[in-house]
């Protein structure tokens, strides 16, 4: 009887020991991290007139010693329309024990450069039904090569018929205008010694370029421009001649884009964002034979980037004497429908780098002495003009 009791006790001990060992093994924590691998980055190039691209991809799978669930924590799902720029897609693998691993890849969508065969419109194309745009060669330039086209453009203010040499302290000088690397370059400067012209003292140099052929209502005007980084301007506009004796008596000005490279503590409050703005305007200037005061009707769009941070495409459809539409990088931004006079005259495409009294030269930390060629130069990749014709 005692022997049987000992055998029973021994068996029970072995059973308990086995159960204890099994429970200890089961209690060991799962520390193995899942393995998840994403695919390589995807790059997609779309037409210049498109906003987004459909992108398909395979959701990554995960492996684990037990099992893991994959979820997407950032980005867009396969087959979605991806916008211009970089979209980062992040995936997470998590097992039952809470172990986590992640991976990611980028979808990069870029646009082709605007076509040189038609105006740059993205999304809603405003071209009237039954019409097509035809380039006006005499008012267009790709600025290829190394030579300035004196047959298309004035760069000497003494010969352009306006005889405006610049607003002091900025003097227009033709040798500040060059062509290189596919750009029209206008480089501003601070003179080593002041210059006196027509009894006026100038300390800085800029330049002005005007078309030799007249710009007309109904046409579309655009340029791809990167502003300089100084207090001086970078502009694209249409200027009009005026003569009280022979007419027209109206002195007009159509500003497509007017900005400065830098503002500072001395800048007028109304212009404190003019280094990141698409600023347009229509003027009827004061003249002895016309209005008693200057009249204007502006239109503006604030930017989130500096005008000198990259090239922007500035466009203007001078649709009619009373309706002018403006486009930035192919997209409609603002309009002027109540100009101070009918804009029914012909003018000249103008690009001027000048100084303003509302954004005066400040010497502290002047980029004129420390800046590079790129810092001091307004660059025009191209200027293009289009007219409507029947299809």
């Amino acid at each position: 009887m005692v022997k049987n009791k000992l055998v029973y006790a021994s068996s029970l001990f072995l059973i308990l020991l086995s159960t204890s060992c099994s429970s200890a093994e089961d209690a060991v924590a799962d520390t193995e991290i899942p393995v998840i691998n994403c695919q390589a980055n995807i790059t997609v190039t779309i037409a210049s007139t498109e906003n987004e691209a459909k992108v398909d991809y395979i959701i990554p799978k995960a492996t684990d010693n037990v099992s893991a669930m994959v979820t997407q924590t950032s980005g867009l799902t396969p087959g979605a329309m991806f916008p211009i720029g970089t979209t980062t897609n992040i995936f997470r693998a998590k097992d039952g024990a809470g172990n986590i691993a992640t991976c990611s890849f980028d979808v990069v969508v870029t646009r082709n450069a605007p076509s040189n065969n038609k105006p740059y419109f993205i999304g809603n194309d405003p071209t009237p039904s039954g019409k097509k745009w035809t380039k006006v060669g005499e008012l267009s330039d790709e600025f290829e090569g190394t030579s300035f086209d004196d047959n298309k453009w004035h760069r000497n203010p003494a010969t352009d018929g306006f005889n405006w040499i610049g607003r002091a302290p900025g003097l227009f000088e033709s040798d500040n205008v060059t062509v290189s690397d596919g750009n029209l370059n206008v480089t501003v400067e601070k003179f080593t010694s002041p210059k006196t012209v027509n009894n006026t003292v100038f300390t800085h140099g800029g330049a002005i370029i005007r078309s030799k052929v007249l710009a007309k209502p109904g046409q579309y005007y655009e340029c791809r421009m990167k502003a300089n980084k100084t207090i001086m301007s970078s502009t694209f506009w249409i200027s009009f001649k005026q003569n009280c004796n022979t007419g027209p008596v109206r002195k007009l000005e159509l500003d497509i884009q007017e900005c400065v490279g830098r503002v500072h503590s001395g800048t007028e409050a109304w212009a404190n964002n003019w280094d990141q703005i698409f600023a347009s305007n229509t003027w009827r200037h004061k003249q002895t034979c016309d209005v008693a005061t200057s009249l204007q009707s502006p239109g503006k769009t604030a930017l989130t980037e500096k005008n000198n941070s990259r090239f922007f495409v500035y466009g203007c459809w001078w649709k009619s004497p009373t309706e002018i539409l403006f486009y930035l990088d192919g997209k409609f931004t603002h309009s002027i429908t109540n100009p101070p006079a009918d804009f029914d005259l012909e003018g000249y495409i103008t690009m001027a780098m000048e100084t303003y009294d509302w954004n005066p030269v400040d010497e502290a930390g002047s980029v004129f002495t420390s800046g590079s060629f790129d810092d001091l130069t307004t660059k025009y990749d191209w200027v293009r003009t289009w007219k409507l014709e029947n299809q």
Side-chain angles (χ1 to χ4, degrees):
M1 186 68 176
V2 173
K3 181 178 179 181
N4 289 339
K5 289 183 177 180
L6 290 173
V7 171
Y8 174 76
S10 297
S11 298
L12 181 61
F13 173 76
L14 290 173
I15 292 172
L16 292 173
L17 179 62
S18 175
T19 303
S20 175
C21 290
S22 176
S23 298
E25 289 175 358
D26 290 343
V28 173
D30 177 7
T31 60
E32 185 170 331
I33 297 174
V35 176
I36 182 171
N37 293 306
C38 283
Q39 67 178 75
N41 293 340
I42 299 174
T43 299
V44 180
T45 302
I46 61 177
S48 63
T49 55
E50 296 178 346
N51 282 315
E52 53 190 4
K54 182 179 179 181
V55 178
D56 286 302
Y57 63 87
I58 298 175
I59 294 177
K61 296 181 179 180
T63 58
D64 189 59
N65 60 324
V66 181
S67 64
M69 179 178 292
V70 175
T71 57
Q72 185 171 6
T73 61
S74 181
L76 297 173
T77 58
M81 301 301 294
F82 282 71
I84 300 296
T86 300
T87 301
T88 300
N89 303 281
I90 303 176
F91 295 86
R92 182 184 69 178
K94 183 179 180 180
D95 65 15
N99 299 309
I100 294 175
T102 62
C103 71
S104 67
F105 70 95
D106 293 335
V107 172
V108 183
V109 180
T110 59
R111 283 195 187 102
N112 283 321
S115 169
N116 61 7
N117 294 319
K118 59 182 180 181
Y120 187 27
F121 297 125
I122 293 177
N124 183 30
D125 188 334
T127 307
S129 177
K131 298 288 185 178
K132 65 177 181 179
W133 294 102
T134 301
K135 186 182 290 185
V136 182
E138 298 86 352
L139 292 171
S140 303
D141 202 328
E142 300 297 315
F143 303 116
E144 300 295 341
T146 59
S147 299
F148 180 84
D149 193 344
D150 289 293
N151 293 318
K152 285 186 178 180
W153 310 99
H154 291 283
R155 57 177 165 177
N156 184 349
T159 64
D160 64 13
F162 286 80
N163 297 311
W164 181 39
I165 63 173
R167 182 187 298 103
L171 177 67
F172 293 148
E173 296 205 306
S174 59
D175 60 3
N176 286 335
V177 182
T178 60
V179 174
S180 65
D181 299 323
N183 297 314
L184 170 68
N185 306 302
V186 183
T187 306
V188 300
E189 63 178 324
K190 179 182 179 181
F191 298 140
T192 303
S193 300
K195 298 183 179 183
T196 301
V197 181
N198 297 339
N199 296 318
T200 302
V201 176
F202 296 88
T203 56
H204 292 71
I208 191 166
I209 299 103
R210 299 186 197 269
S211 64
K212 291 191 172 182
V213 173
L214 285 164
K216 302 177 181 180
Q219 296 179 335
Y220 189 88
Y221 306 90
E222 59 185 358
C223 77
R224 186 170 184 264
M225 179 183 78
K226 181 181 180 182
N228 69 72
K229 293 184 179 181
T230 77
I231 53 86
M232 295 181 71
S233 69
S234 296
T235 67
F236 181 60
W237 50 295
I238 296 175
S239 53
F240 300 81
K241 290 183 179 179
Q242 183 265 354
N243 188 307
C244 289
N245 296 321
T246 61
V249 298
R250 286 173 292 148
K251 176 64 173 176
L252 303 181
E253 177 181 326
L254 170 54
D255 297 323
I256 299 173
Q257 163 63 332
E258 183 176 20
C259 67
V260 296
R262 184 173 60 87
V263 296
H264 53 86
S265 60
T267 304
E268 293 286 348
W270 61 265
N272 61 11
N273 66 337
W274 273 55
D275 56 349
Q276 51 185 71
I277 196 170
F278 181 16
S280 311
N281 209 346
T282 49
W283 284 93
R284 184 175 186 174
H285 289 291
K286 178 181 179 180
Q287 297 291 313
T288 56
C289 57
D290 192 16
V291 295
T293 58
S294 290
L295 304 174
Q296 63 171 308
S297 183
K300 299 177 177 64
T301 296
L303 308 181
T304 58
E305 305 168 88
K306 299 288 187 182
N307 293 98
N308 57 43
S309 65
R310 64 175 177 89
F311 280 92
F312 293 84
V313 178
Y314 303 103
C316 169
W317 184 11
W318 186 359
K319 190 174 181 179
S320 74
T322 59
E323 184 180 13
I324 305 168
L325 310 178
F326 299 89
Y327 294 78
L328 177 68
D329 290 336
K331 297 181 180 180
F332 173 77
T333 54
H334 55 270
S335 65
I336 298 175
T337 56
N338 58 339
D342 283 351
F343 273 68
D344 54 0
L345 305 178
E346 297 180 349
Y348 298 87
I349 294 178
T350 304
M351 295 162 276
M353 274 41 66
E354 58 184 309
T355 51
Y356 297 120
D357 54 3
W358 47 263
N359 192 41
V361 176
D362 63 327
E363 295 300 331
S366 176
V367 69
F368 288 104
T369 56
S370 62
S372 65
F373 174 83
D374 287 343
D375 293 337
L376 301 175
T377 302
T378 298
K379 299 181 179 183
Y380 297 85
D381 183 12
W382 41 259
V383 170
R384 296 169 184 166
T385 301
W386 311 86
K387 63 181 179 180
L388 284 170
E389 294 182 341
N390 293 328
Q391 286 184 335

